């Protein structure tokens, strides 16, 4: 039976990309060696990193003065790398869910060590709050563009408002779960980072897009591995990088480019989200957890059974599983269901879930 992978992360990848990765595991580019056993210093691996950096820049339209690096440690390590590299006297965090809260926790923990202060601008888990001002004495403001667990996402309109509010303050964004899913004006950011396992690659690699000019303004010892400079100067090869996930990231970005790049995927993601939210909004059994349409995530679509129907949870879960749906159980903090519709999920996959919901409704 065909499986429809709605896992939140690690998550779905295009079938061709998985096949090409499997080929490289057996024989990397006809070298007679597996990608699992080659040196990252081998002459044929440097071009992989170079092309991955170039493709990410091309797909997102990254301007001059920025570098793209690939690291280990996950997005979670960035929660402390950002303050280590950028925090002078004050940093501000928009708290929109579990991941931004974790980023704020690291900033709050490090602030006293650095003689600085970390503040929360506003907090909400079921909407994107905009009732805040950005103190102009901040070194940076940190946002999470898509909240993987609660299923909110900062709309383009709200992003524009944040760009206005921030004035000259640097902007840092965790884009783990919506990178490459929509256009982004990279010039407005100093650092964009994310774990690649949601929309780009298998687990193990973290991307960081960084404006070189923002570095070098703090006066402290930065542990070598936590210093962005180290990895920029080392071309992502200061120490052994996650070779396999970087290669899959490259294959996936080639896939995206061949299919029409960000414009293509942005339109397809919109179509998918409209399809599923429409179904849920018109459902007699289910309702979306995020009511304000503007704040709804296109990547992580969360819905619950309506009051009075909650006891159908197990039955629907079993039914959906029998139809090939995988990974639709909601996060334990939210309950209900979550269908993650990352780039590699096609419209037919979302249509299959919609059909499944409708068929279940017809039975009740
Ligand atoms: C998954 C996720 C993270 C954590 O990523 P790791 O690579 O596991 O550390 C951080 N932020 C967001 C928005 C995420 O979705």
């Amino acid at each position: 039976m065909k499986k429809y992978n709605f896992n939140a992360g690690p998550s779905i990848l295009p079938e061709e990309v998985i096949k090409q990765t499997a080929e490289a595991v057996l024989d990397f580019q006809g070298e007679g060696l597996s990608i699992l056993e080659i040196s990252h210093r081998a002459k044929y691996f440097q071009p992989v990193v170079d092309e991955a950096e170039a493709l990410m820049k091309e797909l997102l339209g990254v301007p001059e003065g920025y570098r793209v690096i690939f690291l280990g440690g996950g997005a979670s390590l960035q929660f402390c790398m950002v303050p280590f590299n950028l925090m002078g006297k004050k940093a501000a965090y928009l708290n929109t869910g579990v991941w931004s809260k974790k980023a704020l926790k690291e900033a709050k923990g490090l602030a006293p060590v650095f003689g600085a202060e970390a503040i929360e601008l506003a907090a909400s888990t079921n909407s994107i709050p905009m009732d805040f001002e950005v103190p102009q004495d901040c070194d940076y403001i940190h946002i999470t563009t898509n909240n993987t667990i609660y299923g909110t996402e900062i709309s383009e309109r709200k992003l524009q408002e944040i760009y206005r509010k921030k004035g000259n303050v640097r902007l840092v964004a965790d884009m783990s779960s919506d990178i490459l899913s929509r256009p982004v004006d990279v010039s407005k950011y100093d650092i964009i980072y994310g774990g690649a396992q949601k929309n780009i690659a298998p687990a193990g690699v973290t991307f960081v897009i960084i404006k070189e000019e923002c570095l070098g303004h703090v006066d402290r010892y930065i542990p070598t591995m936590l210093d962005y400079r180290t990895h920029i100067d080392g071309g992502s090869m200061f120490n052994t990088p996650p070779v396999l996930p970087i290669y899959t990231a490259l294959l996936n970005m080639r896939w995206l480019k061949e299919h029409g790049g960000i414009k293509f995927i942005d339109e397809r993601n919109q179509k998918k989200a409209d399809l599923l939210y429409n179904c849920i909004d018109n459902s007699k059994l289910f309702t979306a957890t995020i009511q304000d349409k503007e704040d709804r995530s296109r990547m992580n679509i969360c819905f619950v059974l309506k009051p009075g129907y909650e006891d159908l949870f197990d039955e629907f879960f079993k039914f959906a599983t029998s139809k090939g749906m995988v990974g639709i159980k909601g996060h334990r903090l939210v309950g209900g269901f979550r269908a993650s519709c990352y780039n590699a999920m096609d419209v037919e996959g979302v249509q299959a879930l919609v059909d499944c919901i409708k068929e279940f409704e017809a039975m009740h």
Side-chain angles (χ1 to χ4, degrees):
M1 181 182 51
K2 181 165 167 50
K3 293 273 171 83
Y4 300 95
N5 183 0
F6 290 98
N7 272 312
S11 46
I12 185 170
L13 288 166
E15 206 178 313
E16 299 102 284
V17 168
I18 292 174
K19 282 195 180 132
Q20 288 164 355
T21 302
E23 282 162 21
V25 166
L26 296 174
D27 182 2
F28 183 60
Q29 299 182 346
E31 295 285 340
L33 291 170
S34 166
I35 190 168
L36 302 179
E37 56 181 356
I38 60 163
S39 166
H40 56 296
R41 306 280 176 206
K43 62 180 188 313
Y44 36 81
F45 192 68
Q46 185 66 51
V48 169
V49 174
D50 293 346
E51 190 185 340
E53 170 168 358
L55 255 181
M56 190 134 195
K57 284 183 167 169
E58 183 184 336
L59 286 165
L60 289 171
V62 176
E64 287 292 305
Y66 286 76
R67 292 294 301 271
V68 176
I69 49 178
F70 298 100
L71 310 175
S76 300
L77 189 63
Q78 297 306 308
F79 298 163
C80 84
M81 276 179 80
V82 167
F84 255 106
N85 286 269
L86 295 194
M87 188 185 272
K89 284 273 165 261
K90 196 179 200 175
Y93 283 70
L94 186 60
N95 180 358
T96 48
V98 172
W99 297 113
S100 35
K101 203 167 158 189
K102 287 187 178 176
L104 175 61
K105 174 175 181 265
E106 292 301 281
K108 284 212 156 159
L110 286 169
V113 181
F114 299 159
E117 178 189 15
I119 60 166
E120 180 181 272
L121 285 176
S124 171
T125 53
N126 56 16
S127 68
I128 302 295
M130 293 302 284
D131 53 338
F132 62 87
E133 296 305 323
V134 179
Q136 290 299 300
D137 59 346
C138 283
D139 303 301
Y140 65 90
I141 151 180
H142 180 283
I143 60 173
T144 308
T145 50
N146 182 71
N147 300 288
T148 324
I149 290 175
Y150 289 99
T152 57
E153 187 170 11
I154 310 181
S155 67
E156 185 56 34
R157 188 189 71 81
K158 288 194 175 180
L159 281 176
Q160 296 290 340
E161 204 175 321
I162 291 172
Y163 302 158
R164 262 197 312 280
K165 280 178 191 282
K166 81 176 185 69
N168 291 321
V169 174
R170 297 186 193 283
L171 182 58
V172 176
D174 176 355
M175 294 196 186
S176 293
S177 51
D178 65 351
I179 188 74
L180 295 178
S181 74
R182 61 196 283 205
V184 46
D185 183 355
V186 177
S187 73
K188 296 287 193 287
Y189 298 81
D190 286 79
I191 294 179
I192 295 172
Y193 67 84
Q197 70 276 15
K198 309 274 163 55
N199 226 359
I200 305 183
V205 64
T206 310
F207 65 89
V208 185
I209 303 168
I210 184 162
K211 191 179 193 174
E212 280 199 85
E213 182 274 315
C214 78
L215 299 176
H217 300 294
V218 294
D219 183 23
R220 70 172 65 97
Y221 176 73
I222 303 175
T224 309
M225 278 297 287
L226 301 186
D227 191 340
Y228 288 120
R229 198 75 253 166
T230 303
H231 301 287
I232 290 175
D233 293 346
S236 299
M237 298 246 213
F238 170 74
N239 69 324
T240 318
V243 170
L244 180 76
I246 291 177
Y247 184 61
T248 307
L250 168 61
L251 295 173
N252 196 18
M253 289 192 285
R254 279 186 191 155
W255 174 90
L256 184 54
K257 185 180 168 183
E258 278 160 23
H259 283 76
I262 298 293
K263 187 175 182 311
F264 154 78
I265 210 73
D266 179 45
E267 284 166 13
R268 187 166 92 159
N269 287 333
Q270 190 59 46
K271 207 164 157 185
K272 282 151 46 186
D274 288 346
L275 194 61
L276 187 49
Y277 279 119
N278 264 332
C279 166
I280 298 163
D281 286 340
N282 292 309
S283 166
K284 63 172 191 202
L285 298 182
F286 297 96
T287 182
T289 56
I290 305 304
Q291 287 304 319
D292 189 335
K293 290 187 177 161
E294 180 176 2
D295 294 342
R296 285 177 171 176
S297 170
R298 303 194 308 180
M299 296 285 101
N300 311 98
I301 299 178
C302 298
F303 53 103
V304 291
L305 284 151
K306 283 184 178 169
Y309 294 107
E310 289 105 330
D311 54 348
L312 291 176
F313 183 93
D314 288 338
E315 195 185 331
F316 177 70
F317 185 72
K318 245 174 92 181
F319 181 73
T321 304
S322 78
K323 297 279 177 190
M325 305 301 144
V326 175
I328 59 161
K329 206 171 253 182
H331 190 278
R332 67 192 150 71
L333 290 173
V334 182
F337 302 94
R338 170 175 55 173
S340 296
C341 303
Y342 296 115
N343 284 354
M345 173 58 66
D346 56 18
V347 179
E348 293 81 74
V350 176
Q351 185 62 53
L353 177 57
V354 165
D355 292 345
C356 169
I357 291 172
K358 288 188 172 157
E359 199 179 327
F360 185 76
E361 283 195 336
M363 290 157 50
H364 294 84

